[in-house]
Amino acid sequence: MKKFLLAVGLLSIAGTALAAGKPCEELKSEIAAKIDAKGASGYSLQVVDKGAAPSDHTVVGSCEAGTKEIVYKRG
């Protein structure tokens, strides 16, 4: 019974950590690495508040529990 309660406690802590979302700079670095791996150049990534992406940018990620977005612009 104690092991079961310990497992439930650990899972609830892990669930809370996952719900918090990734830090923006960490996710931005991961996205940049994927774009670079495809051979792309001449692009920019920006972190903006959710819903504040300029019209000429594409949203490529969400971070900080969905309060911020990472946007991509080519050129």
Side-chain angles (χ1 to χ4, degrees), residues 17-32:
L18 289 174
K22 283 191 173 189
C24 290
E25 289 306 316
E26 179 182 340
L27 184 59
K28 183 178 170 185
S29 295
E30 291 175 9
I31 292 170

Side-chain angles (χ1 to χ4, degrees), residues 41-56:
S41 62
Y43 69 89
S44 66
L45 292 174
Q46 255 184 304
V47 177
V48 297
D49 291 331
K50 184 174 184 168
S55 61
D56 60 340

Side-chain angles (χ1 to χ4, degrees), residues 10 22 60 67:
L10 290 174
K22 283 191 173 189
V60 293
T67 60

